[in-house]
Each structure stands twice: as C-alpha cells, then as structure tokens.
Amino acid sequence: MPRSKPAGAEVKGRPDATVKLRRLHPRRTPNQARSRDTVQAVLRAAGDAIERDGLDRLTTRRIAALAGISVGALYEYFPNKQAVVYALVTDWMERVFSLLDGLHPVRGGAEDILSYLGKQIDQMADLYRAQPGLGALITMVTSVAELRDAVQKHDERCEASVASALQYFAPEADAQDVHSAARTIAIIAHEILCEAVARNAPDADRLMRNLKICVFALGTRLLLPR
C-alpha cells in the first residue's frame, strides 16, 4: 500500500477528526457465521458497485441491493457508506498481509529466495485482480486522513514479514540492507501491480516480467558475500 503520514498528526488537537474516525468503524463486530457472511456480502457488493459506477455514485441503498439485504440490515453493521468503504479497504489490506505472511519460509511458503519472491508477485497479482474497484480504493486511501494510520501500520507489518523472510534466506546479510530491500520491494511491487492490474496497462505482461526481474535482483543481491 502507498505510504502516508501517520494519522495521529491529523487527529491531535482536532476533536472533530476523532468523531469522524469513530464514524468509520462498524457498529458491531459480527461473531456468528451468518453475520460474518452478511458483512462479507456487503463488502463484495460495495466493491462491485465501485467497479461499475465509481465512488461518487456509491450509496448505501445500492450496496444493500447488490448484497441482497435491506438498508436497515446494512445499518445494523455500518453507520454510513464511508464506514463500508473503510471496512472494504482495511479488509483488503488484511488479506494482503495474510498472503505475504503465509509465504514466509518458516511456514513452508517457499524453499528458496527466488521461489519466495516469485510466489509473492504471482499470488499478489491474483489478489489485486480479485478486488473489484481497487483503482478507486487506492486513490481514496492516499487522500483520506482517517485511513493513514491504518495504511502505515499495514505497511510496517508487511515490510517486517518480508524482511524476516529475506533474512531467513540470507542470514549473513546486513540487517539494514535486508530492511531496505524489503521496503523497496513493497513499494515497487505495489506501484507496478496497481499499474498493471488495477489500471489495466496495455503493456501489463511486460511490466509484470520487469517487476520480477527487479525483485529477483534485490533479493539475490542479499546472497552475495559482504
């Protein structure tokens, strides 16, 4: 995800910002399977609506209709459409982290650094493709102050997982070099995936091949003798 300033700087000294952030959170957390299914249906419907008509035309009525529930049922979980979009973004970021962390070599995700990085790019591309309305969501993330803290924490978690995996494969590598490589991989992978997948670039296949070349170069460099 793109880098953002911490949200704390935006909220401090501004009570209205704290209220605004509170209104973005769900009314309640679904604990039963049926409730979780309803929330996931709402999030999928919101993504589909954004994909078709854009963020500006998104309404709670439209989301509820696509999800197959009443507006009242939607309001049981979300106070407004902004809260639905906030949940959609944070849910997607959680899935990104879960995918990355699941590929960590200590969990049997890969046998060597190249297979680890290759799986990371291929599976991340599938995840980006599977998220409807991703281009609009990414644009929104960079402009909504209330999301910046969540984005920063997400970035830190992803980079820490990737750095840990790289260090596993290159135990002799300098820790600062490892973290720098992890951060660079996260930045270029996100930007290229957005261009190739979310924005449907005409040269998407070439961009993805070049992304792998860059990522492989960053990873294998850590294996060289210091």
Side-chain angles (χ1 to χ4, degrees), residues 14-211:
R14 285 176 50 194
D16 61 318
T18 303
V19 172
K20 200 179 296 184
L21 183 58
R22 189 179 301 124
R23 289 175 181 164
L24 290 175
H25 286 288
R27 291 186 187 275
R28 64 188 179 93
T29 302
N31 295 317
Q32 297 181 346
R34 183 176 178 181
S35 297
R36 290 193 294 270
D37 289 344
T38 298
V39 168
Q40 286 303 311
V42 168
L43 298 184
R44 285 194 299 271
D48 289 340
I50 292 168
E51 182 78 18
R52 295 179 191 178
D53 304 317
L55 275 168
D56 292 340
R57 298 182 63 185
L58 187 70
T59 65
T60 52
R61 288 186 180 277
R62 176 69 170 150
I63 296 169
L66 288 173
I69 62 174
S70 68
V71 176
L74 184 150
Y75 283 140
E76 288 183 21
Y77 299 96
F78 301 100
N80 48 50
K81 71 174 184 179
Q82 290 82 3
V84 176
V85 175
Y86 183 89
L88 183 61
V89 172
T90 53
D91 178 75
W92 180 69
M93 290 194 297
E94 187 60 35
R95 286 187 285 119
V96 168
F97 173 75
S98 295
L99 187 155
L100 279 176
D101 207 48
L103 291 173
H104 197 289
V106 300
R107 281 174 272 287
E111 297 179 356
D112 56 56
I113 198 166
L114 291 181
S115 65
Y116 166 71
L117 292 171
K119 286 181 179 180
Q120 183 184 127
I121 298 302
D122 290 340
Q123 294 185 28
M124 197 62 67
D126 290 340
L127 186 60
Y128 274 55
R129 290 189 190 98
Q131 178 57 61
L134 183 60
L137 291 175
I138 290 170
T139 300
M140 185 200 71
V141 163
T142 61
S143 60
V144 176
E146 290 80 12
L147 273 169
R148 291 176 188 164
D149 186 54
V151 170
Q152 184 185 38
K153 289 177 181 177
H154 165 76
D155 289 342
E156 290 171 353
R157 292 173 75 203
C158 289
E159 289 169 18
S161 177
V162 174
S164 174
L166 294 177
Q167 193 80 72
Y168 178 94
F169 290 119
E172 302 300 321
D174 180 78
Q176 289 187 337
D177 286 344
V178 169
H179 280 273
S180 179
R183 187 165 188 269
T184 304
I185 288 170
I187 292 171
I188 65 172
H190 174 71
E191 294 300 327
I192 296 299
L193 284 169
C194 285
E195 185 65 21
V197 177
R199 301 187 186 103
N200 297 312
D203 57 343
D205 290 342
R206 186 162 299 171
L207 284 173
M208 293 301 296
R209 288 197 298 271
N210 288 339
L211 171 59

